């Protein structure tokens, strides 16, 4: 046995315990850091081969591991832009260097330029929202992402494109009975245009089975001139003996130009759902709506659990503008931690997979909530005491080896 080896083993043990104390110190310091994932020190022994019957003391090495996949608890706030992920996945953020990173730290604040930036200075990324199709995701990369921006800018206008109108037509009325109702649409300049829907009972066919027919026409009357323009020629609605609408399920009005503004062709759903148009022995009743937004400023925003960012307008309308992107890897605990509570891909983490909240194995987004650090103060204090005692014990080994070495040197005297 080598006395120098004994001393080196003691030093190895002290260094290992110092590393453990370093991770404990980091964990305690970040116990209140949003989205922080604790570090832990794992020990493994170093065994040296024996030679000539003499035991060679080895030592101990350490490996730092991160509990990135362990979810913390949630703290609820009053800010809609405070975001947490309930389940798997990470937010995608970009730093001042223009590089994308992953994070669970969702304490985002709206900046003066409209972007969402967390307390570490990283900007939230996502895709521009489309009502017709989901954006194409580059599964293993960040292409197509843009900064989510809630800047209101000037007044916003969205011309109407579609809507629904469900009515009950009185079944016991005589042929020729007529009833009208109205919906408001928005043209390209944000003007409100009142559309009149007129239903006229045509008659009953003998069958079998018996059916009832109504004519529906859609018109617009200019409030200044009183001129009426048909947007839809009479369309026959056919009802079965059960009072349910058989055909058609929807109608499409004609586009028209009014005072330099364009009123789009509107697709109006009138059937094909549980609350569709009916013909029953009850009074005339109607419910419906047409999309679009008149001239209105942004008064706020709302973020749904599937990551869609809505802008709230002063007139009460809401419009989806962005969809928050999410990412994950096969081995989150092997991601590379970086300053600012962000992570980057490593050779051991696996490739980055992109997606949306609520599908494809990704968790849901909680608006008005923050994920707490997953550090347990009690465990860290216990680990601190253990490391302190073990460090002292290893120092005693070093001290003993040093004293024996002194005895050996003094044998010559």
């Amino acid at each position: 046995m080598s006395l120098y080896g004994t001393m080196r083993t003691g030093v190895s043990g002290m260094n290992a315990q110092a590393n453990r104390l370093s991770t404990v110190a980091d964990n305690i310091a970040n116990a209140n850091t949003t989205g922080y994932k604790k570090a832990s020190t794992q020990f493994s022994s170093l065994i040296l081969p024996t030679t000539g019957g003499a035991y060679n003391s080895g030592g101990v090495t350490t490996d730092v591991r991160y509990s990135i996949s362990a979810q913390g608890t949630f703290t609820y706030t009053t800010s809609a832009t405070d975001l947490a992920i309930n389940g798997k996945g990470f937010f995608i953020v970009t730093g001042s260097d223009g590089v994308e990173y992953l994070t669970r730290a969702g304490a985002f604040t709206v900046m003066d330029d409209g972007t969402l930036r967390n307390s570490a200075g990283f900007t939230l990324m996502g895709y521009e929202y489309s009502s017709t199709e989901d954006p194409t995701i580059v599964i293993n990369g960040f292409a197509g992402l843009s900064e989510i921006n809630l800047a209101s800018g000037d007044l916003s206008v969205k011309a109407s494109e579609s809507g629904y109108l469900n009515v009950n037509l009185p079944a016991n009325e005589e042929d020729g009975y007529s009833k009208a109702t109205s919906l408001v649409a928005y043209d390209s300049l944000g003007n409100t245009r009142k559309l009149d829907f007129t239903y006229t009972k045509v008659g009953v066919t003998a069958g079998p089975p018996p059916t009832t027919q109504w004519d529906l026409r859609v018109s617009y009357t200019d409030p200044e001139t009183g001129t009426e323009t048909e947007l839809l020629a009479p369309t026959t609605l056919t009802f079965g003996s059960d009072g349910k609408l058989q055909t058609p399920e929807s109608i499409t009005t004609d586009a028209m130009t009014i005072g330099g503004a364009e009123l789009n062709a509107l697709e109006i759903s009138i059937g094909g759902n549980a609350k569709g148009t009916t013909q029953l022995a009850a009074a005339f009743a109607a419910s419906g709506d047409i999309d679009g937004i008149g001239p209105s400023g942004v008064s706020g925003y709302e973020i749904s659990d599937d990551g869609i960012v809505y802008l709230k307008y002063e007139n009460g309308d809401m419009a989806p503008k962005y969809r928050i992107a999410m990412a994950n890897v096969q081995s989150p605990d092997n991601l590379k931690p970086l300053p600012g509570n962000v992570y980057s891909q490593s050779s051991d983490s696996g490739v980055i997979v992109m997606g949306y909240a609520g599908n494809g194995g990704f968790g849901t987004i909680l608006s008005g909530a923050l994920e707490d650090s997953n550090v347990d103060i009690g465990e860290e204090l216990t680990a601190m005491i253990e490391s302190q005692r073990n460090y002292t014990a290893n120092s005693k080994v070093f001290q003993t080896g040093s004293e024996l070495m002194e005895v050996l040197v003094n044998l010559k005297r």
Side-chain angles (χ1 to χ4, degrees):
M1 168 180 146
S2 167
L3 292 178
Y4 284 118
T6 301
M7 296 169 66
R8 283 194 294 268
T9 299
V11 171
S12 172
M14 287 189 287
N15 286 335
Q17 295 303 326
N19 287 342
R20 188 185 187 191
L21 281 170
S22 295
T23 59
V24 168
D26 253 355
N27 292 340
I28 292 176
N30 287 280
N32 293 321
T33 300
T34 299
Y36 175 80
K37 303 301 181 181
K38 70 176 182 179
S40 60
T41 304
Q42 306 297 319
F43 298 87
S44 59
S45 60
L46 286 176
I47 304 297
L48 298 180
T50 58
T51 56
Y55 181 79
N56 293 321
S57 59
V60 60
T61 62
T62 58
D63 178 50
V64 177
R65 298 181 183 177
Y66 297 90
S67 301
I68 299 174
S69 60
Q71 180 170 293
T73 56
F74 299 116
T75 296
Y76 292 91
T77 71
T78 58
S79 173
T81 57
D82 282 341
L83 305 176
I85 300 173
N86 185 15
K88 297 180 180 179
F90 298 85
F91 297 114
I92 302 167
V93 294
T94 183
S96 57
D97 55 1
V99 178
E100 290 84 3
Y101 301 97
L102 309 183
T103 188
R104 298 275 292 197
F108 295 105
T109 303
V110 181
M111 308 306 292
D112 55 2
D113 61 354
T115 58
L116 288 173
R117 197 173 300 169
N118 68 11
S119 53
F122 292 89
T123 303
L124 182 63
M125 305 293 287
Y127 297 100
E128 291 190 5
Y129 184 84
S130 171
S131 59
T132 57
E133 60 181 0
D134 288 336
T136 301
I137 297 177
V138 178
I139 297 176
N140 61 344
F142 300 116
L145 290 174
S146 61
E147 293 181 348
I148 292 179
N149 194 305
L150 301 181
S152 58
D154 298 327
L155 294 179
S156 177
V157 169
K158 182 180 182 299
S160 299
E161 295 178 347
S162 61
Y164 72 94
L165 178 60
N166 299 323
V167 303
N168 179 67
L169 300 173
N172 298 326
E173 295 292 343
E174 299 291 334
D175 293 350
Y177 169 84
S178 183
K179 190 70 175 179
T181 189
S182 302
L183 288 176
V184 170
Y186 296 94
D187 64 21
S188 58
L189 296 181
N191 296 305
T192 58
R193 303 298 180 182
K194 185 172 73 72
L195 307 183
D196 298 318
F197 295 77
T198 304
Y199 299 85
T200 303
K201 188 172 183 180
V202 177
V204 179
T205 61
T211 59
T212 305
Q213 294 180 338
W214 292 70
D215 279 346
L216 167 62
R217 68 184 185 92
V218 183
S219 61
Y220 168 74
T221 302
D222 190 310
E224 295 182 359
T225 64
T227 303
E228 183 180 21
T229 303
E230 284 200 348
L231 295 174
L232 181 73
T235 299
T236 301
L237 310 184
T238 303
F239 296 87
S241 58
D242 58 358
K244 294 182 179 179
L245 179 66
Q246 294 180 336
T247 58
E249 291 189 357
S250 65
I251 58 174
T252 302
T253 66
D254 296 328
M256 68 177 299
T257 301
I258 311 173
E262 184 73 17
L263 180 63
N264 294 329
L266 305 175
E267 183 179 0
I268 309 296
S269 171
I270 60 173
N273 56 63
K275 297 182 180 179
T277 296
T278 58
Q279 181 205 235
L280 301 173
F284 180 88
S287 64
D289 193 18
I290 295 178
D291 67 359
I293 299 174
S296 181
V298 174
S299 62
Y301 26 81
E302 185 174 304
I303 301 174
S304 65
D305 58 2
D306 56 356
I308 299 177
V309 181
Y310 294 87
L311 296 184
K312 290 182 179 179
Y313 291 91
E314 294 169 348
N315 61 1
D317 291 327
M318 295 182 61
K321 191 173 183 181
Y322 291 96
R323 190 161 190 180
I324 297 173
M326 293 183 66
N328 206 357
V329 293
Q330 288 83 355
S331 180
D333 291 341
N334 285 316
L335 285 168
K336 181 181 179 181
L338 297 170
N341 209 8
V342 296
Y343 308 97
S344 65
Q345 181 182 348
S346 72
S347 58
D348 296 324
S349 66
V351 297
I352 290 176
V353 179
M354 303 285 291
Y356 295 129
N359 60 54
F362 291 94
T364 57
I365 291 179
L366 302 178
S367 176
L370 294 173
E371 182 179 358
D372 299 327
S373 166
N374 61 1
V375 172
D376 186 318
I377 290 293
E379 290 182 2
E380 300 304 318
L381 292 176
T382 301
M384 181 187 295
I385 295 171
E386 290 176 351
S387 295
Q388 182 182 7
R389 297 289 184 264
N390 291 338
Y391 190 98
T392 302
N394 279 283
S395 69
K396 291 297 183 183
V397 172
F398 181 87
Q399 182 179 356
T400 301
S402 176
E403 291 172 353
L404 291 176
M405 181 64 68
E406 183 178 0
V407 170
L408 181 62
V409 170
N410 289 334
L411 287 177
K412 185 178 179 181
R413 296 179 180 176

